């Protein structure tokens, strides 16, 4: 699949593009810069090896450099075969001192070989996005690798779900902080980040006008809410499909039409799956689709649009634009799949903007510091401590020039009286 980002062929140009773009992202991540400043003096991560499996983007580069500034040595691989920005990997490898094992479009065996290379660095802390590195160190790495890990962090909803399943079945060997669940992560990154960047990916890939189009959003968690809100903001008519009755009700009261996928399939022009579950758009829906329907996935894994059935059902398949595959069905209609059904925001665009990754990655950085300082011993899934969450919100507001109210002593006493 041809890259949407026209990476220069010349290594020197790739490197300078990576350096330039990383510096652009860093300039939009004031909270992370503040942490870096403090860590530069204190070096709280001295001697620590961190193995990270994250999307290799400019924002991730800013996080890696922050961890290095704190005294850690870091190795990085990709958390999705299609999300690596090759200029960033090049800059990290060749100039910024972060060994990075990732290549955009790497096949599955290379993807897992790269995870193995990060595990081979025998990290003390692992930082994961989606749970592949965590699963790998538990099942495929030599026992000494697992034995060396004192804790981990997890960036995304799907990863946290996998971790909780492991913990329930006593298969998790170390404490992991669910960064995803911090308020300053999920309410902002999942909602505003996914909302904007998923539509960005669809627009970059297809150049489709959203005003007046019918957009079907499958799933109404934080990510689905973001996509639905932003699509409405661009003038689309938005339909939501949802299995959870409370979320479906929320979508109704937020003013969206709520339908089953079977009923939405014949009316939608653009479909975005964000459920975290499998087989959301399947072969039972293909015959119902309008000619030219656009199918995109914004969930972590490429399991929401049944791509295998698309391949089996279609008479032919060809790439018609970068990141867009046309499928022609036996009944004559066509569907367009964006970014192979993988994360559309990272496959066809640049992922979430730096301003929102600033908060997610500040939570990551401070959670690593917490693990090192507090050393929770028991394996399990831990929340981001509330003080960290609130600190990230405070620093973000401050960087944006906003002030919050200070409670008076009288107000504090009043609140306290209810807590007794
Ligand atoms: N996940 C979503 N957007 C991202 C980005 N820009 N960098 C790293 N991980 C991401």
């Amino acid at each position: 699949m041809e890259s949407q980002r026209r990476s220069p062929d010349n290594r020197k140009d790739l490197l300078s593009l990576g350096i330039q773009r990383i510096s652009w992202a860093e300039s939009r991540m004031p909270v992370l810069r503040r942490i870096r400043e403090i860590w530069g003096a204190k070096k709280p991560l001295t001697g620590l090896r961190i193995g990270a499996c994250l999307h290799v983007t400019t924002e991730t580069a800013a996080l890696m450099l922050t961890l290095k500034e704190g005294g850690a040595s870091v190795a990085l691989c990709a958390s999705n075969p299609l999300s690596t920005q090759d200029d960033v990997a090049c800059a990290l490898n060749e100039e910024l001192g972060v060994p990075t094992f990732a290549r955009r479009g790497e096949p599955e065996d290379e993807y897992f070989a790269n995870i193995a290379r990060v595990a081979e660095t025998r990290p003390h802390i692992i930082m994961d996005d989606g749970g592949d590195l965590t699963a790998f160190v538990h099942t495929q790495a030599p026992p000494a690798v697992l034995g060396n890990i004192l804790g981990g962090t997890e960036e995304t909803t799907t990863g946290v779900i996998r971790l909780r399943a492991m913990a329930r079945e006593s298969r998790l060997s170390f404490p992991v902080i669910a960064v995803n669940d911090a308020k300053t992560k999920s309410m902002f990154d999942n909602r505003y980040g996914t909302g904007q960047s998923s539509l960005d990916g669809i627009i970059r890939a297809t150049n489709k006008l959203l005003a007046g189009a019918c957009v079907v959003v499958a799933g109404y968690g934080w990510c689905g809410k973001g996509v639905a809100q932003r699509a409405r903001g661009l003038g689309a008519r938005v339909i939501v499909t949802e299995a959870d009755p409370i979320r479906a009700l929320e979508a109704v009261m937020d003013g969206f039409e709520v339908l089953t996928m079977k009923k939405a399939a014949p009316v939608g022009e653009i479909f975005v799956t964000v459920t975290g579950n499998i087989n959301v758009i399947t072969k039972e829906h293909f015959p119902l689709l309008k000619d030219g329907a656009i199918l995109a996935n914004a969930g972590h894994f490429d399991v929401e649009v049944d791509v295998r059935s698309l391949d089996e059902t279609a008479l032919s398949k060809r790439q018609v634009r970068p990141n867009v595959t046309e499928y022609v069905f036996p009944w004559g209609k066509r569907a367009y799949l964006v970014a192979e059904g993988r994360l559309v925001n990272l496959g066809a665009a640049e992922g979430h903007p730096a301003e929102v990754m600033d908060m997610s990655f500040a939570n990551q950085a401070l959670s690593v510091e917490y693990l090192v300082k507090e050393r929770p011993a028991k394996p399990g899934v831990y929340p981001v401590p509330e003080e960290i969450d609130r600190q990230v919100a405070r620093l973000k507001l401050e960087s944006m020039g906003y002030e919050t109210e200070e409670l008076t002593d009288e107000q504090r006493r009043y609140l306290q009286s209810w807590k007794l």
Side-chain angles (χ1 to χ4, degrees):
M1 167 82 51
E2 188 192 324
S3 165
Q4 159 102 8
R5 288 177 288 277
R6 296 229 166 76
S7 298
D9 298 331
N10 181 315
R11 201 110 195 113
K12 234 171 80 197
D13 291 349
L14 196 64
L15 174 64
S16 74
L17 180 64
I19 298 287
Q20 243 176 29
R21 292 180 59 250
I22 292 168
S23 142
W24 175 267
E26 282 174 322
S27 72
R28 279 153 180 75
M29 301 176 86
V31 181
L32 208 56
R33 281 206 310 278
R34 179 84 192 99
I35 293 169
R36 200 148 145 187
E37 215 174 83
I38 296 166
W39 281 7
K42 289 201 314 193
K43 302 280 180 206
L45 311 183
T46 298
L48 203 71
R49 286 195 298 275
I50 300 175
C53 177
L54 299 171
H55 300 294
V56 180
T57 64
T58 53
E59 294 75 22
T60 296
L63 172 62
M64 296 299 104
L65 297 175
T66 305
L67 299 171
K68 271 196 76 176
E69 186 69 23
S73 58
V74 193
L76 174 66
C77 62
S79 56
N80 184 298
L82 204 59
S83 62
T84 297
Q85 299 172 3
D86 288 330
D87 56 334
V88 172
C90 176
L92 285 169
N93 267 320
E94 294 187 13
E95 196 153 310
L96 301 173
V98 179
T100 300
F101 310 108
R103 183 169 67 93
R104 181 179 159 90
E106 60 197 10
E108 197 163 295
D109 55 346
E110 186 177 326
Y111 172 75
F112 283 104
N114 284 334
I115 289 182
R117 290 170 83 181
V118 165
E120 277 160 21
T121 63
R122 301 202 44 199
H124 303 108
I125 300 271
I126 65 167
M127 198 173 255
D128 211 353
D129 183 335
D132 283 349
L133 176 58
T134 309
F136 186 89
V137 297
H138 280 84
T139 56
Q140 292 181 64
V145 169
L146 189 58
N148 208 41
I149 297 173
L150 64 92
T153 63
E154 172 51 57
E155 169 76 7
T156 203
T157 315
T158 294
V160 172
I161 291 170
R162 289 176 83 183
L163 281 173
R164 293 224 159 90
M166 288 175 77
R168 251 194 328 272
E169 295 157 15
S170 305
R171 290 188 290 112
L172 185 63
S173 299
F174 46 78
V176 185
I177 300 194
V179 169
N180 178 71
D181 297 354
K183 291 196 179 84
T184 48
K185 199 279 182 182
S186 47
M187 284 172 65
F188 301 90
D189 167 315
N190 299 22
R191 179 168 36 172
Y192 304 117
T194 307
Q196 179 168 320
S197 62
S198 300
L199 294 178
D200 182 14
I202 293 167
I203 292 167
R204 286 195 207 196
T206 64
N207 200 24
K208 165 99 181 147
L209 180 72
L210 265 81
C214 179
V215 174
V216 179
V217 180
Y220 204 66
W222 283 120
C223 296
K225 284 185 181 65
V227 175
Q229 258 185 22
R230 289 297 171 262
R232 176 155 69 188
L234 285 166
R237 169 187 163 210
V238 181
I239 295 170
V240 169
T241 71
E242 175 56 67
D244 179 295
I246 295 170
R247 286 182 174 175
L249 186 59
E250 197 182 1
V252 168
M253 297 220 178
D254 285 345
F256 296 108
E257 204 173 331
V258 173
L259 294 176
T260 61
M261 186 57 81
K262 256 195 189 148
K263 291 202 171 131
V267 282
E269 288 159 77
I270 301 173
F271 294 78
V272 190
T273 55
V274 219
T275 67
N277 214 326
I278 57 167
N279 294 338
V280 179
I281 301 179
T282 65
K283 59 174 181 278
E284 72 166 317
H285 303 116
F286 301 154
L288 307 174
L289 295 174
K290 274 189 175 170
D291 184 31
I294 291 168
L295 310 179
N297 166 53
H300 184 79
F301 285 118
D302 56 341
V303 293
E304 306 207 16
V305 178
D306 183 359
V307 179
R308 184 183 296 177
S309 290
L310 255 185
D311 284 333
E312 284 165 4
T313 309
L315 286 182
S316 66
K317 157 184 174 182
R318 69 185 172 123
Q319 187 176 335
V320 289
R321 288 168 60 91
N323 294 316
V324 182
T325 310
E326 178 190 72
Y327 288 83
V328 181
F329 294 118
W331 48 92
K333 289 184 185 166
R334 291 156 299 180
Y336 295 97
L337 181 67
V338 185
E340 304 172 11
R342 296 187 188 274
L343 269 174
V344 67
N345 59 340
L346 285 138
E350 293 172 64
H352 304 349
E355 289 83 350
V356 81
M357 292 312 295
D358 189 26
M359 291 191 277
S360 312
F361 284 169
N363 276 294
Q364 283 281 7
L366 296 176
S367 294
V368 169
E369 187 182 31
Y370 173 83
L371 278 172
V372 173
K373 266 198 195 148
E374 302 298 327
R375 304 248 170 172
K378 255 178 71 183
V381 183
Y382 288 73
V384 171
E386 203 182 331
E387 313 84 78
I388 291 182
D389 213 351
R390 296 177 74 80
Q391 177 70 354
V392 171
R394 251 184 246 112
L395 289 171
K396 191 69 186 175
L397 281 167
E398 200 181 294
S399 76
M400 296 167 83
Y402 292 103
E403 285 178 75
T404 55
E405 289 289 358
E406 197 62 50
L407 293 182
T408 62
D409 287 346
E410 184 194 27
Q411 287 171 326
R412 266 183 227 287
R413 278 197 301 276
Y414 181 75
L415 283 183
Q416 205 56 40
S417 71
W418 294 112
K419 283 187 189 151
L420 291 176

